[in-house]
Amino acid sequence: MNMNAPYSWTEIVALVLISNLCLSTSYQRTETRPQVCMLCSGSVRNHTTVDRFCSWSAGRIQGRCCLRNDSISDPERIIGLDLSNCSLTHVENLEGASTVVMIDLSLNPIVNISDTVFQGFGDLNFMILPPHAVCPGGNTSWEKVELKEGNLLCEGQKNMCNQTGQPSVYCPENSLCAPYGPGCYECGCAEDYYGYKCLRQGNFPALVVFGPLAAATVVISFLLWVTQRRKAKSL
Ligand SMILES: *[C@@H]1O[C@H](CO)[C@@H](O)[C@H](O)[C@H]1NC(C)=O
Ligand SMILES: *[C@@H]1O[C@H](CO)[C@@H](O)[C@H](O)[C@H]1NC(C)=O
Ligand SMILES: *[C@@H]1O[C@H](CO)[C@@H](O)[C@H](O)[C@H]1NC(C)=O
Ligand SMILES: *[C@@H]1O[C@H](CO)[C@@H](O)[C@H](O)[C@H]1NC(C)=O
Ligand SMILES: *[C@@H]1O[C@H](CO)[C@@H](O)[C@H](O)[C@H]1NC(C)=O
Ligand SMILES: *[C@@H]1O[C@H](CO)[C@@H](O)[C@H](O)[C@H]1NC(C)=O
C-alpha cells in the first residue's frame, strides 16, 4: 500500500457518511437578529413557562423570543423561544436560535421535527412539545422525559460525550469530544490537527456525529474495523 496516500476510498466514503449523519452548522452561526422571533405573529405569551423563565433571567421579550446579553459588550442572544400555538407542522429551521435554553412548541399540529434542526443547540435544556412528538435525539438524549398536563417535556440535555464513560471510544485520536445539541456530539480536532480523523496537521472544521448512539457506534465500529484492517495489512 502506498503510505503517502492520506486515506483510502473506503475511508472517504465512511467520512462522508458520518458527516451527513449530522450536518455541520457550527461555522455558519449568524449574529443577525433571527427571523425565528417572527416565525409566527404575537409575542411570548404571558404567564407561560418561557415568559416566567424570561422574567427570572432578566431577559427582554421581542416577538416570540426572550433575549438577553450577559455583558454590555456581548450581543444579545436568544435564551427562550415560545413557538406555541403557531400552527407549525414541520420544525426544520430555527437558525439563529442555537443559544436557546428553553423552547415551547406546544399546541402545534407537529408531524415532523427534523433530526438536524437542533444541532449545535448545546444550551437547550427544556422543551415543551405536543404529546405525540418525540424529544430530539430520542429519550436517551435527555435526563428526563415526561408527559405532563397534555404536553411532552424534555428536560436536561444529556452530554453525549459522557454517555458510556468512555468518550474517546467515539472520537478519533487527536480529537476532542464536545456536546453538539441533543443526541449529537462533535469530534473537534485537537490543536494543530485537521482532516480525516485529525490525521493531518493544521486547522480545519470538526467532524460532527449524530446519535442515536447505536447508529453512530455502528459507523464508528466500521471505521475502526477499516483502520484495524489497514494496520494489519501494513504489518
Ligand atoms: C401581557 O402582560 C402585559 C403586562 O403584564 C400586558 O400589558 C399585556 O396586555 C399582556 N398581554 C396579553 C396578551 O395578555
Ligand atoms: C444589551 O446590550 C445593549 C447594548 O449593547 C443594550 O442596549 C441592551 O439594552 C442590552 N439588553 C439587555 C436585555 O440588557
Ligand atoms: C391559539 O391561537 C388562536 C388564534 O390563532 C386563538 O384563538 C387561541 O385562543 C389560541 N390558543 C391558546 C391556548 O392560546
Ligand atoms: C420527516 O422529515 C425527514 C427529513 O427532514 C424525512 O426524511 C422523514 O421522512 C419525515 N417524516 C415524516 C413522518 O414526514
Ligand atoms: C419516551 O418517553 C415518553 C415519556 O415517558 C414515552 O411516552 C415514550 O413512549 C418514550 N419513547 C420511547 C421511544 O421510548
Ligand atoms: C461529563 O464529564 C465531565 C468530566 O469528566 C464532568 O465534569 C461532567 O459533570 C460530566 N457531565 C455529565 C452530564 O455527566
Side-chain angles (χ1 to χ4, degrees), residues 175-198:
S175 73
L176 304 168
C177 186
Y180 197 65
C184 271
Y185 59 95
E186 183 179 49
C187 299
C189 293
E191 221 178 304
D192 294 339
Y193 291 91
Y194 77 101
Y196 172 70
K197 292 177 84 186
C198 309

Side-chain angles (χ1 to χ4, degrees), residues 41-173:
S41 62
S43 64
V44 172
R45 293 174 311 146
N46 277 354
H47 314 304
T48 57
T49 312
V50 172
D51 183 39
R52 283 197 299 265
F53 169 68
C54 199
S55 314
W56 180 80
S57 317
R60 178 175 76 85
I61 284 170
Q62 179 179 327
R64 292 289 184 145
C65 292
C66 171
L67 305 155
R68 193 183 69 180
N69 31 7
D70 289 332
S71 68
I72 307 279
S73 54
D74 280 345
E76 280 184 311
R77 60 197 176 92
I78 298 176
I79 58 165
L81 192 53
D82 176 8
L83 297 176
S84 60
N85 204 12
C86 279
S87 307
L88 296 175
T89 53
H90 292 75
V91 181
E92 277 163 355
N93 184 5
L94 297 176
E95 204 185 319
S98 63
T99 55
V100 76
V101 176
M102 180 183 287
I103 297 184
D104 186 349
L105 286 165
S106 61
L107 305 174
N108 286 302
I110 290 176
V111 295
N112 203 345
I113 298 182
S114 154
D115 272 348
T116 55
V117 69
F118 296 111
Q119 277 168 27
F121 285 50
D123 295 334
L124 183 56
N125 228 19
F126 192 81
M127 292 189 77
I128 308 172
L129 295 172
H132 55 273
V134 177
C135 293
N139 285 0
T140 53
S141 302
W142 298 86
E143 298 292 343
K144 190 173 173 192
V145 175
E146 64 174 337
L147 281 164
K148 199 171 175 184
E149 288 160 15
N151 292 316
L152 181 71
L153 307 183
C154 327
E155 303 165 61
Q157 187 186 136
K158 274 193 195 163
N159 180 346
M160 297 315 271
C161 295
N162 283 21
Q163 277 284 291
T164 46
Q166 279 292 335
S168 52
V169 168
Y170 301 114
C171 281
E173 219 179 314

